[in-house]
């Protein structure tokens, strides 16, 4: 019983926090989840510092309500990470100018890291180091959420190779609201192999954290607004980069390294330079590719990262280049509202109105030119700069012979809206702490073949109840699936041919040659991945990184044992 009391208390605190932030009601989808009887989450005492652990880097990380000047006029109430370096190299923390985002943390492979997370929010929280391979206790599992006033001490060895990672809350049923209100930050890991490449650094290495937000007339964040935001995830009306609207960078005519993270709750970008220059990709979630790849555009789903070589040499001083997100067929932002400048705000659409609107948008989804994400202003003409290495690293490709289960892949079947309460699930089961299935038990130190695909059939009933929008909606949206722990490799993508027409709009935008921790699974796709489960036993989450889907139960966990 105690845990149920805890859960209601957390929800009360959530609602109190929501009210304090100035938006009125609990989102409909969250209300709909109440009473679904999710498994009780144990309450565990916060981890304390271990005297035996001698950190190379120690950081105090406080999350608390704050305000940020984002738009002209009134400041915006946000929730924010405040980091302070207690011990370690001076350049460990960098603040992004005028941003509500947490400081960029720069770590080196092999460092011992201690982070003291203090919760000064009006509700419980816990932080996950998305991309880092750490023990369960250090992974920000929702069972370790701390109450207001408490501190959780993380201590881990940094095992990852050079890469860009993403810290954010992973609080049970509250990840979406906490991230939306500002809790997010970047971790850059460096190592000697990367350093030897002498890639652009310092002012020539620029983090680009892309998010979308909706503001009211008083410059305050609006979140929620009806069932479609649960179904498709919340899509904001304005694009922010590094917490700024209309973001631009001033550059010289030389090469830059753009470290791009999609930290949006749900929005998927189809990134492309506006003048048709290909995007030169040198890395993804888990670090550098073997060699640079040129793409006409790149699909970047929530939590995915992109390491871009952007060479502006030969361009004229005073000229501009714009990174845009192009329109694509099946973009959930167009199905789910929050059209850029389209005035789709406000809830309460249902039945025929919603069907009509969605039909209209879907027909135009592949037309149009999309929207700008950020602008590059060529300011200074210079004659020198680094050149692009032809070879970046060595990636040992896994083969089917390497896996422990070649004939019995671990299934991750995505299904959404399979009954009236709008629950979302993986393998037909919404998240429940005490519900690990035998297929989710993974022997430690094995390499596993995993198949991620869209479940068929589920959703028909629930969707039919919603005014006949067609269950195709749920089955036909892309979901970015994130697996905690070590990175994986994408073995292949198998497409059901009836989806080929829409797929043609996105198929050239996947970068599957590197190490990944989040993979976008498009409608009709079956994606086979190979993932190692080494070093650590325990519970490790896997979930959709559309944060509304995660909070609604499109999350499960592996028991590595
Ligand atoms: Cu999803």
């Amino acid at each position: 019983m105690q845990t149920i009391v805890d859960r209601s208390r957390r929800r009360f605190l959530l609602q109190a926090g929501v009210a304090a932030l100035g938006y009125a009601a609990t989102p409909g989808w969250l209300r709909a989840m109440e009473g679904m009887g999710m498994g009780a989450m144990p309450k565990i005492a916060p981890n304390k510092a271990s005297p035996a652990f001698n950190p190379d880097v120690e950081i105090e990380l406080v999350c608390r309500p704050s305000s940020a000047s984002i738009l002209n006029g009134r400041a915006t109430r946000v929730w924010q990470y405040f980091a302070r370096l207690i011990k370690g190299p001076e350049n460990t923390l960098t603040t992004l100018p005028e941003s509500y985002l947490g400081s960029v943390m720069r770590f080196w492979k092999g460092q011992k890291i201690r982070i003291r997370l203090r919760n000064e929010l009006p509700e419980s929280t816990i932080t996950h180091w998305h991309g880092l391979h750490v023990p369960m206790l250090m992974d920000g599992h929702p069972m370790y959420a701390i109450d207001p006033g408490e501190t959780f001490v993380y201590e881990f060895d940094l095992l990852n190779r050079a890469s860009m990672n993403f810290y954010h809350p992973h609080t049970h049923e509250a990840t979406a609201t906490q991230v939306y209100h500002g809790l997010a930050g970047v971790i850059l890991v460096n190592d000697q192999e990367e350093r030897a490449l002498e890639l652009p650094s310092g002012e020539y290495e620029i983090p680009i954290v892309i998010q979308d937000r909706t503001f009211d007339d008083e410059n305050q964040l609006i979140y929620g607004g009806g069932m479609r935001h649960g179904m498709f995830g919340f899509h904001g009306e304005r694009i922010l980069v590094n917490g700024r609207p209309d973001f631009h960078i001033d550059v010289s005519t030389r090469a830059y390294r753009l470290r791009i993270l999609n930290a949006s709750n749900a929005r998927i970008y189809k990134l492309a330079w506006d003048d048709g220059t290909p995007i030169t990709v040198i890395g993804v979630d888990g670090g550098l590719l073997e060699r640079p790849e040129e793409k006409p555009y790149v699909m970047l789903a929530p939590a995915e990262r992109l390491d871009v070589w952007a060479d502006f040499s030969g361009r004229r001083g005073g000229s501009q280049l714009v990174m845009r997100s192009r329109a694509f067929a099946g973009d959930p932002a167009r199905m789910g509202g929050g059209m850029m400048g389209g005035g789709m705000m406000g809830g309460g659409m249902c039945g025929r109105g919603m069907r009509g609107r969605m039909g209209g948008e879907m027909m135009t989804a592949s037309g149009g030119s999309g929207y700008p994400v950020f602008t590059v202003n060529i300011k200074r003409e210079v004659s020198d700069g680094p050149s692009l290495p032809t070879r970046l690293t060595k990636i040992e490709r896994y083969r089917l012979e390497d896996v422990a289960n070649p004939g019995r892949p671990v299934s991750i079947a995505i299904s959404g809206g399979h009954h009236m309460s709008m629950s979302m699930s993986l393998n037909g089961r919404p998240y429940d702490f005490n519900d690990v299935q035998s297929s989710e038990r993974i022997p430690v130190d094995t390499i596993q073949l995993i198949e991620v695909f869209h479940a068929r059939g589920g959703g028909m009933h629930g969707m039919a109840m919603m005014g006949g929008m067609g269950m195709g909606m749920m089955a036909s949206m892309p979901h970015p699936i994130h697996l905690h722990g070590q990175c994986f490799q994408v073995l292949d993508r198998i497409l059901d041919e009836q989806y080929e027409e829409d797929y043609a709009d996105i198929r050239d935008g996947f970068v599957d040659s590197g190490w990944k921790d989040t993979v976008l699974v498009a409608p009709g796709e079956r994606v086979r991945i190979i993932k190692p489960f080494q070093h650590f036993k325990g519970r490790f989450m896997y979930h959709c990184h559309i944060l509304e889907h995660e909070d609604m139960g499109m999350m499960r966990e592996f028991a590595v044992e």
Side-chain angles (χ1 to χ4, degrees):
M1 239 9 238
Q2 186 56 41
T3 44
I4 289 165
V5 171
D6 281 346
R7 262 168 47 78
S8 336
R9 185 171 62 112
R10 200 204 65 75
R11 191 176 302 285
F12 168 74
L13 289 167
L14 169 68
Q15 287 171 4
V18 159
L21 278 157
Y23 54 96
T26 309
W29 57 265
L30 195 53
R31 270 200 311 275
M33 270 182 16
E34 298 199 351
M36 278 176 53
M38 296 248 225
M41 186 76 70
K43 168 70 183 154
I44 297 190
N47 191 51
K48 300 240 186 324
S50 154
F53 187 88
N54 182 22
D56 302 300
V57 174
E58 182 164 358
I59 291 169
E60 177 193 66
L61 188 64
V62 179
C63 17
R64 62 174 164 81
S66 178
S67 69
S69 186
I70 302 171
L71 305 177
N72 287 330
R74 194 173 292 200
T76 305
R77 289 186 294 274
V78 295
W79 285 359
Q80 200 171 348
Y81 281 117
F82 290 93
R84 183 175 69 85
L85 188 65
I86 298 170
K87 180 185 179 187
E90 237 173 79
N91 67 351
T92 300
L93 298 179
T94 315
T95 307
L96 293 167
E98 302 179 273
S99 181
Y100 57 79
L101 293 172
S103 296
V104 175
M105 300 182 182
R106 186 176 288 276
F107 297 150
W108 281 83
K109 182 178 180 178
Q111 279 179 330
K112 289 183 173 299
I113 310 289
R114 174 184 284 154
I115 300 174
R116 300 174 174 274
L117 176 75
R118 192 162 81 246
N119 180 7
E120 295 184 4
L121 301 173
E123 64 183 53
S124 66
T125 194
I126 194 70
T127 296
H128 167 54
W129 322 100
H130 181 127
L132 298 189
H133 179 41
V134 295
M136 174 193 178
L137 178 61
M138 306 303 164
D139 194 43
H141 188 292
M143 70 189 278
Y144 299 124
I146 51 173
D147 286 333
E150 291 185 324
T151 295
F152 187 103
V153 182
Y154 297 86
E155 291 171 336
F156 52 85
D157 291 357
L158 197 70
L159 302 177
N160 290 64
R161 63 200 284 262
S163 51
M164 181 190 208
N165 302 282
F166 175 20
Y167 63 97
H168 65 76
H170 213 301
T171 319
H172 190 46
E173 299 173 9
T175 297
T177 52
Q178 293 188 357
V179 172
Y180 184 77
H181 287 94
L183 294 172
V186 164
I187 296 172
L188 293 175
V189 178
N190 293 131
D191 65 18
Q192 296 300 342
E193 185 195 27
E194 177 200 43
R195 177 191 236 177
L197 292 169
E198 298 184 332
L199 298 171
S201 62
E203 65 178 295
Y204 305 112
E205 181 187 23
I206 303 176
I208 303 273
V209 180
I210 310 173
Q211 296 178 306
D212 55 339
R213 296 290 183 267
T214 297
F215 297 87
D216 67 14
D217 294 343
E218 314 254 88
N219 290 352
Q220 302 310 309
L221 293 168
I222 294 176
Y223 183 74
M227 200 179 275
R228 70 172 184 279
H229 289 136
M231 287 170 54
F232 302 105
F234 182 83
H235 293 85
E237 291 176 330
R238 290 194 72 142
I239 301 300
L240 304 182
V241 170
N242 296 350
R244 309 299 310 160
D246 308 315
F247 187 79
H248 67 273
I249 51 176
D250 294 340
V251 303
S252 303
T253 51
R254 52 157 284 154
Y256 284 73
R257 186 179 183 193
L258 306 181
R259 311 298 300 269
I260 305 177
L261 161 66
N262 180 356
S264 310
N265 278 31
R267 185 175 290 275
I268 299 167
Y269 301 89
K270 179 180 176 177
L271 297 176
W273 293 116
D274 68 333
D275 68 346
T277 303
I279 296 184
T280 303
V281 181
I282 59 171
V284 288
D285 308 352
L288 294 168
L289 306 179
E290 283 208 325
R291 39 184 80 75
E293 288 181 28
E294 296 207 332
K295 309 292 277 184
Y297 58 86
V298 178
M299 301 303 300
L300 199 69
E304 286 189 302
R305 287 87 78 199
L306 198 60
D307 201 343
V308 169
W309 179 276
D311 192 346
F312 308 114
S313 59
R315 291 183 181 270
R316 239 177 342 99
S319 62
Q320 272 194 345
L321 192 62
V322 178
M323 179 68 84
R324 296 181 66 83
S325 183
R326 287 199 210 152
F328 59 95
D331 180 355
R334 288 166 169 262
M335 297 192 257
M339 291 275 289
M340 303 305 294
M344 289 271 299
M345 280 313 302
M349 284 204 307
C350 62
R352 201 168 45 200
M354 190 166 181
R355 179 174 63 228
R357 169 89 69 162
M358 294 177 68
E361 279 162 11
M362 290 205 13
M363 292 198 311
T364 59
S366 55
S369 58
Y371 48 88
V373 177
F374 64 92
T375 300
V376 178
N377 296 317
I378 317 295
K379 284 287 187 194
R380 295 164 299 272
E381 295 192 17
V382 298
S383 53
D384 60 330
S387 51
L388 178 61
T390 52
R391 199 173 170 79
L392 299 163
T393 187
K394 174 78 190 147
I395 295 177
E396 298 288 348
R397 295 300 301 183
Y398 288 130
R399 300 155 307 160
L400 273 179
E401 298 91 276
D402 300 323
V403 306
N405 59 336
R408 298 170 287 107
V410 174
S411 286
I412 300 180
I414 304 166
S415 50
H418 73 288
H419 68 65
M420 284 193 60
S421 66
M422 290 300 298
S423 92
M424 304 228 174
S425 64
L426 296 173
N427 296 326
R429 309 179 80 87
Y431 181 69
D432 185 330
F433 177 74
N434 285 312
D435 189 39
V436 175
Q437 300 295 296
S438 59
S439 61
E440 295 173 315
R441 298 188 181 279
I442 308 277
V444 70
D445 292 326
T446 59
I447 298 168
Q448 299 282 328
L449 176 65
I450 301 175
E451 281 192 6
V452 195
F453 55 92
H454 297 262
R456 289 299 186 102
M460 182 72 78
H461 178 62
M463 289 300 122
M465 296 302 294
M466 289 184 57
M469 297 181 327
M471 66 75 52
M473 288 304 162
M474 256 3 263
S476 305
M477 76 173 274
H479 297 266
I481 301 299
H482 169 49
L483 286 75
H484 287 214
Q486 273 165 301
C487 283
F488 53 79
Q489 294 177 359
V490 176
L491 180 66
D492 52 21
R493 294 171 178 267
I494 300 154
L495 184 71
D496 178 335
E497 61 185 20
Q498 79 182 80
Y499 291 85
E500 261 166 16
E501 196 178 324
D502 281 1
Y503 195 69
D505 242 13
I506 61 174
R507 74 179 325 143
D508 293 332
F510 300 117
V511 187
D512 288 338
S513 55
W515 290 100
K516 296 286 292 173
D517 59 45
T518 305
V519 64
L520 186 61
V521 182
E525 264 194 324
R526 176 175 292 263
V527 180
R528 293 200 300 168
I529 65 177
I530 297 182
K531 177 176 157 58
F533 290 83
Q534 290 165 318
H535 310 302
F536 306 125
K537 293 182 179 179
R539 300 283 192 88
F540 292 92
M541 326 293 304
Y542 63 99
H543 60 86
C544 181
H545 222 286
I546 292 175
L547 297 181
E548 290 76 19
H549 291 180
E550 174 190 329
D551 282 348
M552 290 170 80
M554 195 178 276
M555 175 165 84
R556 301 281 307 165
E557 52 194 30
F558 289 121
V560 182
E561 50 195 24

